[in-house]
C-alpha cells in the first residue's frame, strides 16, 4: 500500500508533538513493507523556530535517528498531482494549510485513494471557527485522538466516519534502558505554552518538588522570562529544547516524571492523554499525573501510574516515589506492560489498516 502523509513537520519536533506519533506510525508502516511518502511546508513554524533557536544543524538529528523516514520526507511542492500519484491512503494532519486541505479534497473527488483527516489538537473546541473553515466535504473520514474529540466531529455530521485514533508510543525507540544506571530527581518534559496550564505547573510540579527538596530538570520551549523566573525560584534547572529522540536517555537518568495536562484536555476534552504519557510509560519511568479523567479506561489508575487530585496529594505521591524504590519499579513495569499490550504505534497501524478496510480502501499492491 502507498501511504501519503501531509503534516506540519516530520523533521522538526519543536513544539510539535504530532511529529512524535507520525514518526512512529510511518516507521511501522515502512517496517511492514508499505510505501510511505510525507510532505511538509519548507517554512513551517516548527522548523523555523527550531532553526532560529539552534541553527540548521538541529534538523540533522532527524536523519540520524530516523534514516528510514528521512529518505521519504519531502517538502510540499507546486505539483499536487505528483505528490498524490499512486496513493492508496492519504493522511492530512489538522495543522495543514486550509487551501491545501481543500485542494487535496478536490483531488479525492476524481481519485481512487482513501482520504482521512487527522486531528490531534484541541482547536475543535478552543477555536471551532478554525476547523469550521476547513473544507473537509470530500474526505472519507476523521481520525480523532480521543473519544471526546470524535464526539465533536460526530455532532458536526461525521457520524460513524469519525474514528478514535489515540496517539501511542514508538516502542522501536521508546523503551527502558538496556542497562539500568543511577537515577536522580524528577524530570518534566513539556512546553510552557500560552499560560493554559501555568498555575497547574506551579501547583503540581514546582511547589511540591521544591517543598521536598527534590532535584528537578525541565525541558521544553516557549518559556517566557517570568516562567524561567518561576523555575529558578523553585530550584528547577531549565534545560531548554530536547530533541524527542533523546527523551528515552533523559528519562533513564531520573527517578520519575510528571504529567500536567493542558487545561482543555482536563476540562473540554477529557480522556485524551498527550503522547508524553505514552512515551513515559513506554520508557519504564514511573509517572505521576495532575488531575485528568481517563474516560476511556486506557490505563489502570494506581497500577500503571499515580494520580494526584490536589497539590497536597501530589506532594505525598512525590514523597512516596522518592523514598520507595520498590514502588517505582512496580509502576514502571506495569506502565510498560500497558503500552506493550495496547498502546504502541504497531497497535495504531493495526487500527489504521482496519479503518481503511472498513471504509472500503482497496490498495493496489504491497510494496516489494
Amino acid at each position: 500500500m502507498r501511504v501519503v502523509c501531509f503534516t506540519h513537520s516530520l523533521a522538526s519536533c519543536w513544539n510539535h508533538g504530532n511529529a512524535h506519533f507520525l514518526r512512529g506510525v510511518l516507521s511501522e508502516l515502512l517496517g511492514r513493507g508499505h510505501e510511505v511518502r510525507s510532505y511538509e511546508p519548507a517554512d513551517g513554524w516548527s522548523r523555523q523556530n527550531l532553526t532560529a533557536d539552534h541553527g540548521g544543524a538541529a534538523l540533522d538529528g532527524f536523519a540520524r535517528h530516523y534514516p528510514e523516514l528521512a529518505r521519504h520526507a519531502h517538502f510540499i511542492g507546486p505539483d499536487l498531482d505528483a505528490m498524490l500519484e499512486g496513493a492508496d491512503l492519504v493522511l492530512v494532519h489538522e495543522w495543514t494549510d486550509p487551501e491545501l486541505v481543500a485542494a487535496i479534497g478536490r483531488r479525492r473527488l476524481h481519485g481512487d485513494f482513501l482520504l482521512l483527516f487527522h486531528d490531534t489538537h484541541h482547536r475543535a473546541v478552543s477555536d471551532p471557527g478554525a476547523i469550521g473553515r476547513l473544507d473537509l466535504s470530500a474526505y472519507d473520514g476523521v481520525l480523532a485522538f480521543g473519544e471526546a474529540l470524535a464526539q465533536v466531529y460526530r455532532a458536526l455530521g461525521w457520524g460513524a466516519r469519525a474514528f478514535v485514533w489515540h496517539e501511542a508510543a514508538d516502542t522501536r525507540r521508546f523503551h527502558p534502558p538496556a542497562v539500568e544506571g543511577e537515577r536522580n530527581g524528577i524530570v518534566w518534559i513539556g512546553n510552557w505554552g500560552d499560560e493554559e496550564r501555568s498555575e497547574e505547573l506551579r501547583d503540581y510540579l514546582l511547589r511540591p518538588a521544591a517543598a521536598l527538596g527534590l532535584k528537578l530538570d525541565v525541558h521544553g520551549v516557549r518559556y517566557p522570562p517570568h516562567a524561567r523566573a518561576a523555575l529558578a525560584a523553585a530550584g528547577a534547572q531549565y534545560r531548554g529544547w530536547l530533541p524527542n529522540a533523546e527523551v528515552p536517555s533523559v528519562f533513564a537518568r531520573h527517578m520519575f516524571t510528571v504529567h500536567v495536562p493542558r487545561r482543555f484536555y482536563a476540562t473540554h476534552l477529557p480522556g485524551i492523554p498527550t503522547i508524553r504519557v505514552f512515551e513515559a510509560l513506554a520508557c519504564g519511568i514511573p509517572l505521576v499525573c495532575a488531575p485528568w479523567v481517563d474516560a476511556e479506561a486506557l490505563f489502570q489508575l494506581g497500577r500503571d501510574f499515580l494520580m494526584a487530585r490536589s497539590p497536597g496529594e501530589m506532594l505525598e505521591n512525590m514523597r512516596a516515589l522518592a523514598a520507595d524504590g520498590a514502588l517505582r519499579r512496580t509502576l514502571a513495569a506495569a506502565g510498560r506492560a500497558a503500552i506493550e499490550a495496547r498502546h504502541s504505534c504497531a497497535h495504531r497501524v493495526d487500527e489504521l489498516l482496519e479503518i481503511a478496510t472498513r471504509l472500503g480502501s482497496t490498495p493496489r499492491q504491497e510494496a516489494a
Side-chain angles (χ1 to χ4, degrees):
M1 181 168 67
R2 178 174 291 180
V3 180
V4 177
C5 177
F6 291 86
T7 179
H8 174 72
S9 184
L10 203 65
S12 173
C13 60
W14 191 99
N15 198 50
H16 178 44
N18 185 249
H20 311 184
F21 177 55
L22 284 179
R23 288 169 176 176
V25 165
L26 297 184
S27 289
E28 180 67 25
L29 284 166
L30 283 169
R32 298 188 188 191
H34 298 287
E35 183 180 342
V36 166
R37 294 199 305 263
S38 72
Y39 293 97
E40 63 186 77
D43 59 351
W45 48 258
S46 180
R47 176 185 286 268
Q48 285 188 330
N49 279 286
L50 176 58
T51 56
D53 286 354
H54 301 279
L59 290 164
D60 295 343
F62 171 63
R64 185 169 64 255
H65 291 290
Y66 298 89
E68 76 281 18
L69 293 182
R71 293 191 296 271
H72 303 282
H74 311 279
F75 289 130
I76 293 169
D79 190 346
L80 182 56
D81 290 330
M83 289 185 279
L84 294 171
E85 183 179 3
D88 297 300
L89 173 62
V90 178
L91 304 176
V92 179
H93 186 246
E94 174 259 345
W95 277 111
T96 303
D97 180 82
E99 291 186 6
L100 182 57
V101 171
I104 296 170
R106 289 193 293 271
R107 298 306 197 281
R108 172 66 182 94
L109 293 174
H110 306 289
D112 56 357
F113 56 86
L114 190 72
L115 180 57
L116 299 177
F117 184 69
H118 182 205
D119 195 341
T120 61
H121 200 261
H122 57 62
R123 283 204 301 168
V125 294
S126 62
D127 186 12
I131 299 299
R133 288 189 291 272
L134 296 176
D135 182 2
L136 303 178
S137 58
Y139 282 62
D140 296 289
V142 169
L143 302 174
F145 76 147
E147 176 62 29
L149 184 59
Q151 289 177 6
V152 173
Y153 280 95
R154 290 173 192 140
L156 293 173
W158 286 89
R161 294 185 299 134
F163 299 90
V164 177
W165 199 44
H166 279 287
E167 293 181 310
D170 177 5
T171 53
R172 294 166 182 259
R173 295 172 173 89
F174 287 77
H175 50 73
V179 178
E180 275 289 340
E182 184 179 0
R183 293 175 178 257
N184 292 293
I186 312 169
V187 63
W188 155 262
I189 303 175
N191 306 322
W192 189 266
D194 301 312
E195 304 299 327
E196 56 184 300
R197 59 179 168 191
S198 53
E199 281 306 309
E200 291 88 341
L201 286 172
R202 291 184 177 92
D203 288 343
Y204 288 91
L205 179 66
L206 301 182
R207 290 173 182 143
L212 294 171
L214 293 172
K215 176 177 176 287
L216 172 60
D217 291 320
V218 173
H219 296 265
V221 300
R222 298 176 66 201
Y223 282 74
H226 71 271
R228 297 192 190 191
L231 297 184
Q237 294 294 316
Y238 177 57
R239 306 294 187 183
W241 174 68
L242 179 67
N244 197 54
E246 297 177 15
V247 165
S249 63
V250 172
F251 278 152
R253 297 195 295 270
H254 292 83
M255 287 193 297
F256 62 92
T257 189
V258 176
H259 172 58
V260 180
R262 295 182 185 275
R263 203 164 294 152
F264 276 104
Y265 299 135
T267 56
H268 293 72
L269 293 173
I272 299 180
T274 64
I275 196 162
R276 295 293 185 192
V277 170
F278 297 106
E279 290 178 342
L281 297 180
C283 287
I285 184 171
L287 172 69
V288 56
C289 296
W292 66 280
V293 179
D294 187 5
E296 298 177 58
L298 300 176
F299 303 103
Q300 185 170 320
L301 178 60
R303 184 193 68 179
D304 301 333
F305 65 87
L306 300 181
M307 177 80 77
R309 294 178 177 83
S310 69
E313 195 169 320
M314 178 61 84
L315 182 74
E316 293 310 311
N317 281 331
M318 284 189 177
R319 191 194 310 275
L321 284 168
D324 192 340
L327 173 62
R328 295 197 301 271
R329 290 189 292 271
T330 299
L331 283 171
R336 172 66 186 182
I339 297 298
E340 292 178 331
R342 299 181 298 279
H343 301 304
S344 71
C345 286
H347 291 104
R348 298 302 181 259
V349 167
D350 289 341
E351 294 165 8
L352 177 64
L353 298 179
E354 181 182 345
I355 289 168
T357 298
R358 198 182 314 174
L359 289 173
S361 174
T362 54
R364 296 177 184 80
Q365 61 182 10
E366 293 295 322

